[in-house]
Amino acid sequence: GASEGPASPIDPATIDGNEAYVSFQSASAAILQVWFDQFHLAQGALVQLFHANDFNNDQELEIHEFLALLKSTPMKIRQHDAMNMFSELAGPDGTMDQQEFAEMLTFYKFNTGTLLAEVGDLCASIRAAGPPS
């Protein structure tokens, strides 16, 4: 029989009785948009965590505030590793400002879904508890 050409590598979806294709470019753009939305939400969650743990409200986290922050999250990080992370992010002044703290997203692989789901309750309980003694 007559050939209609090579088979398409993508099976069409049927939408309202019509075959429809989604271009790779459109699909990639949609996936990246979702990823960037999650990234920005996670950054916002980190800003909330930063402020909830900045117990002296000086717009910087000292090592004890940073360690308290990490202990309040579901992350399992050994204290030695947390201190190394602080040293990497804090810089020569020994404190971590909000920008340095935001770099944690690239430094540590956050489960952003878990972070976003828990950050509201976490910040409320941290503020209610007050500074660690």
Side-chain angles (χ1 to χ4, degrees):
S3 174
E4 294 181 17
S8 169
I10 302 173
D11 291 329
T14 302
I15 300 172
D16 295 330
N18 299 310
E19 288 185 353
Y21 293 89
V22 175
S23 73
F24 179 75
Q25 184 176 358
S26 296
S28 298
I31 290 167
L32 285 173
Q33 185 61 52
V34 169
W35 186 88
F36 279 115
D37 289 347
Q38 285 292 306
F39 179 78
H40 292 301
L41 286 172
Q43 279 186 319
L46 286 176
V47 168
Q48 288 181 16
L49 280 175
F50 179 92
H51 290 295
N53 286 278
D54 181 17
F55 298 119
N56 60 4
N57 294 313
D58 65 353
Q59 303 300 308
E60 296 179 325
L61 295 180
E62 287 81 26
I63 186 69
H64 67 279
E65 292 171 320
F66 181 72
L67 293 174
L69 179 150
L70 291 179
K71 285 180 185 175
S72 72
T73 70
M75 295 185 297
K76 304 291 186 232
I77 299 176
R78 295 181 310 200
Q79 185 159 338
H80 174 76
D81 294 333
M83 292 175 83
N84 285 341
M85 185 188 301
F86 183 85
S87 295
E88 283 289 321
L89 295 170
D93 63 353
T95 62
M96 184 183 298
D97 64 25
Q98 191 172 313
Q99 180 62 38
E100 291 164 332
F101 181 70
E103 292 173 15
M104 281 183 69
L105 270 181
T106 55
F107 189 88
Y108 189 82
K109 296 177 184 171
F110 275 104
N111 176 335
T112 56
T114 301
L115 179 67
L116 293 171
E118 296 180 4
V119 72
D121 293 338
L122 205 56
C123 289
S125 64
I126 292 167
R127 280 291 180 204
S133 48

